[in-house]
Amino acid sequence: MEKRRRGKFVLIFGVVLLLAFALWFYLMSGQHKTKPPPPAEPVAAVAVKLQDVPVYIDALGTVTPTRSVTVVSQVDGILSSVEFKEGQHVSKGQVIARIDDRSLKAQLAVAKGTLAHDQAVLSNNQRDLTRFRELIKVGSTSQQTLDTQASLVQQQQGTVAADQGNVQNLEVQLSYCTILSPIDGVVGLRLVDPGNYVTNGSTTGIAVITQMTPATVVFAVPEDDLGSINQALARGTVTVLAYDRNKHNLLATGNLLALDNQVDISTGTIKVKAQFDDSGNALFPNQFVNARLKADTLSQAPVVPTTAIQHGSKGDFLFVVNGDKASLRNIKTGPAQGDVTAILDNGVKSGEQVITEGGDKLDDGSTVKVVAQ
């Protein structure tokens, strides 16, 4: 009985050993098999091109009118009429409002009458002085009488001069009753209605007239860009573009007009003013715009589609097609223009194929197949 158990145990052990050997042989023989190469990734690639790329300094700006004038009355009186429509374009010297002038006209008439009376008195005194000068020659009058008459003439001349000044002052005051536009521009909303009493001390005014053209835009740029701007000014006219709030539509093209004379130490920026001569109605006073100042131009710089550029922890990179492999290339990006971006520091060369689609699945050295260009 014991011999049977021992024989059965040996048989089972042999079977197990045989199976273990077979499994070992299977595993060892599988290691010598060659794994099939991974399939090539389909990608789209575009050749690197050379082109001139402008270098812009972007900033948020505000449209400022060339001139803005608050029209106020220079005399006290009733506003009898308003000669403009709100939003109307007016020319310099155009009548825009009238003040009741009847009181001033009456005062002017009195002043002219006084002037005429005093002029007549002066004329009579001058004739008497002439007669006294003839009489003194023949001894028919005294020197004292002659001197008194000469002083009287001088006194009357002073009176006439004062009367003339009073007349001129009232004429000026009367002219202020007709309010003229001091500039060419657009009238805003009416601030005072006809029939109200207006004074020359009011700061509200009757209306505000704004000169719309040429328009100017004021924006602030970092002080680090000051050197680039000065270099651009030294080369000649500096172009400034004004875009809408979303940077989609170009509103106007102008030129750099002036730099402020000091840096704002609280923000580290300096104010810049640009002028737009032919903006039409595209730029409106106090409107916010995106200003782009053209500081330089990169001549014949290599450019790639912006979609080819990827961003990693070590910086920007892209993949270049090298035969059937993808070669990872670290790059330094420059300014963008439209759908392309300039590459600096010789990161890529003209004619090289850069991968624009499918690059997110690649590693350095991955097998690729270009299916679109």
Side-chain angles (χ1 to χ4, degrees), residues 75-87:
V75 293
D76 299 344
I78 298 296
L79 182 63
S80 59
S81 66
V82 173
E83 308 288 332
F84 65 87
K85 294 182 179 179
E86 294 170 315

Side-chain angles (χ1 to χ4, degrees), residues 73 75-79 99 192-193 196-200 202 206:
S73 175
V75 293
D76 299 344
I78 298 296
L79 182 63
I99 306 294
V192 179
D193 294 326
N196 283 282
Y197 186 82
V198 295
T199 64
N200 61 358
S202 172
I206 298 171

Side-chain angles (χ1 to χ4, degrees), residues 34-217:
T34 303
K35 294 182 180 180
E41 289 286 350
V43 296
V46 174
V48 178
K49 299 179 181 180
L50 298 178
Q51 71 179 51
D52 294 340
V53 180
V55 179
Y56 289 108
I57 298 173
D58 294 337
L60 183 64
T62 304
V63 180
T64 57
T66 306
R67 298 174 68 187
S68 183
V69 179
T70 300
V71 179
V72 297
S73 175
Q74 294 180 270
V75 293
D76 299 344
I78 298 296
L79 182 63
S80 59
S81 66
V82 173
E83 308 288 332
F84 65 87
K85 294 182 179 179
E86 294 170 315
Q88 173 188 351
H89 185 278
V90 294
S91 302
K92 182 178 181 179
Q94 180 177 335
V95 177
I96 60 174
R98 298 182 188 275
I99 306 294
D100 187 358
D101 58 1
R102 290 174 295 179
S103 175
L104 285 174
K105 283 183 176 179
Q107 295 178 44
L108 179 60
V110 172
K112 286 183 176 180
T114 302
L115 174 61
H117 172 271
D118 291 340
Q119 283 177 331
V121 173
L122 174 60
S123 178
N124 184 63
N125 289 339
Q126 287 175 332
R127 286 193 295 268
D128 288 344
L129 179 61
T130 301
R131 285 194 296 267
F132 288 158
R133 284 173 176 169
E134 293 298 326
L135 293 174
I136 196 69
K137 294 178 182 179
V138 297
S140 298
T141 188
S142 64
Q143 183 65 40
Q144 182 180 2
T145 302
L146 178 62
D147 293 341
T148 300
Q149 187 63 32
S151 298
L152 186 61
V153 168
Q154 292 178 344
Q155 179 182 352
Q156 194 62 31
Q157 286 175 335
T159 301
V160 169
D163 292 342
Q164 290 173 335
N166 190 32
V167 168
Q168 291 174 356
N169 177 62
L170 287 171
E171 287 176 340
V172 171
Q173 295 297 312
L174 186 61
S175 69
Y176 289 158
C177 291
T178 302
I179 301 177
L180 308 178
S181 173
I183 59 173
D184 294 334
V186 175
V187 184
L189 301 180
R190 187 173 67 245
L191 304 178
V192 179
D193 294 326
N196 283 282
Y197 186 82
V198 295
T199 64
N200 61 358
S202 172
T203 58
T204 303
I206 298 171
V208 177
I209 302 177
T210 300
Q211 184 175 336
M212 306 293 284
T213 56
T216 58
V217 173

Side-chain angles (χ1 to χ4, degrees), residues 230-278:
N230 284 328
Q231 292 176 5
L233 284 171
R235 290 191 293 267
T237 303
V238 179
T239 301
V240 179
L241 307 177
Y243 285 85
D244 62 3
R245 185 184 293 269
N246 298 322
K247 295 185 179 181
H248 291 161
N249 300 319
L250 177 63
L251 302 178
T253 300
N255 299 317
L256 179 62
L257 183 62
L259 290 171
D260 201 358
N261 59 358
Q262 59 184 348
V263 174
D264 186 342
I265 60 175
S266 63
T267 61
T269 60
I270 184 170
K271 289 184 178 179
V272 181
K273 178 179 282 189
Q275 179 170 304
F276 299 82
D277 294 328
D278 301 318

Side-chain angles (χ1 to χ4, degrees), residues 279-340:
S279 61
N281 295 324
L283 299 179
F284 207 76
N286 296 331
Q287 174 187 4
F288 286 103
V289 297
N290 283 284
R292 305 196 73 190
L293 185 151
K294 186 177 179 182
D296 198 2
T297 300
L298 299 180
S299 178
Q300 293 300 292
V303 297
V304 300
T306 305
T307 55
I309 300 173
Q310 300 188 52
H311 311 286
S313 59
K314 296 182 179 180
D316 297 334
F317 66 93
L318 50 71
F319 287 101
V320 177
V321 178
N322 187 7
D324 62 348
K325 303 292 184 180
S327 177
L328 187 146
R329 191 80 56 85
N330 293 314
I331 57 172
K332 181 179 180 181
T333 57
Q337 183 182 24
D339 298 330
V340 298

